[in-house]
């Protein structure tokens, strides 16, 4: 019996739900900014702010994932402890 932890895989349904949720949120935000009764420069500023927030969120998620993967011990099946 091995003590090697298996790599956790998400299901296709979970992945699809995450993508759909992201698409709905981005579409709703884009429609809300487009329908906003404000000058074009205000709408443009809000759109750029939303895009910056999204890219920052992806970067943060990647950094956290990389840190967690780096902290987890990795063993090969034939490695002696």
């Amino acid at each position: 019996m091995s003590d090697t932890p298996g790599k956790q895989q998400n299901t296709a349904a979970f992945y699809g739900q995450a993508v759909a949720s992201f698409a709905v949120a981005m579409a709703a935000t884009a429609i809300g900014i487009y329908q906003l009764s404000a000058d074009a420069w205000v709408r443009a500023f809000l759109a750029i702010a939303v895009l910056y927030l999204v890219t920052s969120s992806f970067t943060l998620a990647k950094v956290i994932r990389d840190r967690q993967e780096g902290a987890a011990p990795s063993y090969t099946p034939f490695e002696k402890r």
Side-chain angles (χ1 to χ4, degrees), residues 56-76:
S56 297
S57 298
F58 276 112
T59 302
L60 178 62
K62 182 185 179 311
V63 167
I64 291 172
R65 182 202 62 203
D66 291 348
R67 180 178 285 181
Q68 287 177 342
E69 287 179 354
S74 61
Y75 301 106
T76 59

Side-chain angles (χ1 to χ4, degrees), residues 1-41:
M1 189 157 143
S2 174
D3 291 334
T4 307
K7 190 166 188 167
Q8 182 179 355
Q9 295 291 327
N10 293 325
T11 63
F14 181 76
Y15 179 78
Q17 185 269 333
V19 171
S21 176
F22 178 77
V24 167
M26 285 298 291
T29 303
I31 291 169
I33 290 173
Y34 179 75
Q35 294 293 327
L36 188 65
S37 59
D39 292 337
W41 71 270

